[in-house]
C-alpha cells in the first residue's frame, strides 16, 4: 500500500473541508479520545489512558484558542472549554472513569448542537 499517497489524500480532504466539517471532525475525535481513555482505564492501560487524555486536552485547547471572539456566544463557549479542561485535569489526576462518564454527554450535546447548526448553514 502506498502510504505517502494515503497521507496526501488525508491532507487534501482536510484542506477541502468546510469550517463546520472541521469542527465536527474535532468533536468526533474528542469523543473518540474520551471513549479510548475510559476503555484504557478499565483495562488498566495507563499509558494509553495518559495519551488519550492528553490528546483530548489538546483538542479542547485548540477549540478554545480558535474561538472567534467577535460573537457573543464565544464567551460562553470559552467558559465551557475551561470547564472541559478542568474536568480533563481531574480525570487525569484521579483516573476516575465516573468523571469521564459525566463529561461525555456534555461533549456529545455540544457536538450535536454544532452539527445541527452546520447543517442549517449548509441549507
Amino acid at each position: 500500500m502506498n502510504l505517502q499517497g494515503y497521507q496526501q489524500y488525508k491532507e487534501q480532504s482536510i484542506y477541502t473541508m468546510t469550517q463546520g466539517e472541521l469542527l465536527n471532525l474535532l468533536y468526533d475525535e474528542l469523543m473518540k479520545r474520551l471513549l479510548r481513555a475510559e476503555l484504557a482505564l478499565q483495562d488498566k492501560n495507563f499509558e494509553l489512558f495518559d495519551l488519550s487524555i492528553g490528546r483530548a486536552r489538546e483538542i479542547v485547547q485548540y477549540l478554545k484558542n480558535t474561538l472567534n471572539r467577535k460573537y457573543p456566544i464565544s464567551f460562553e463557549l470559552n467558559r465551557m472549554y475551561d470547564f472541559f479542561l478542568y474536568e480533563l485535569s481531574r480525570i487525569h489526576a484521579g483516573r476516575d472513569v465516573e468523571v469521564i462518564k459525566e463529561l461525555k454527554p456534555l461533549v456529545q450535546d455540544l457536538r450535536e448542537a454544532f452539527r445541527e447548526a452546520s447543517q442549517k448553514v449548509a441549507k
Side-chain angles (χ1 to χ4, degrees), residues 30-44:
L30 179 56
M31 287 298 296
K32 182 174 93 175
R33 296 302 173 147
L34 289 173
L35 178 60
R36 190 175 281 173
E38 184 178 355
L39 295 173
L41 266 184
Q42 291 170 356
D43 293 341
K44 298 189 186 317

Side-chain angles (χ1 to χ4, degrees), residues 46-113:
F46 299 118
E47 183 178 342
L48 179 59
F49 168 77
D50 289 340
L51 290 171
S52 299
I53 291 298
R55 186 66 179 127
R57 268 195 202 141
E58 290 172 2
I59 292 168
V60 173
Q61 190 64 55
Y62 177 81
L63 290 168
K64 180 181 162 114
N65 291 344
T66 58
L67 281 174
N68 187 339
R69 308 287 178 175
K70 71 179 183 180
Y71 297 107
I73 188 119
S74 296
F75 176 75
E76 295 301 322
L77 287 171
N78 188 57
R79 290 180 55 203
M80 180 75 78
Y81 294 148
D82 282 341
F83 175 74
F84 287 172
L85 289 169
Y86 171 77
E87 290 297 291
L88 288 167
S89 294
R90 278 187 53 210
I91 292 166
H92 190 248
R95 294 185 174 169
D96 191 348
V97 171
E98 292 307 311
V99 180
I100 296 173
K101 290 178 181 178
E102 293 169 8
L103 183 60
K104 281 177 22 183
L106 300 175
V107 173
Q108 178 74 24
D109 288 346
L110 198 52
R111 178 178 82 165
E112 289 306 314

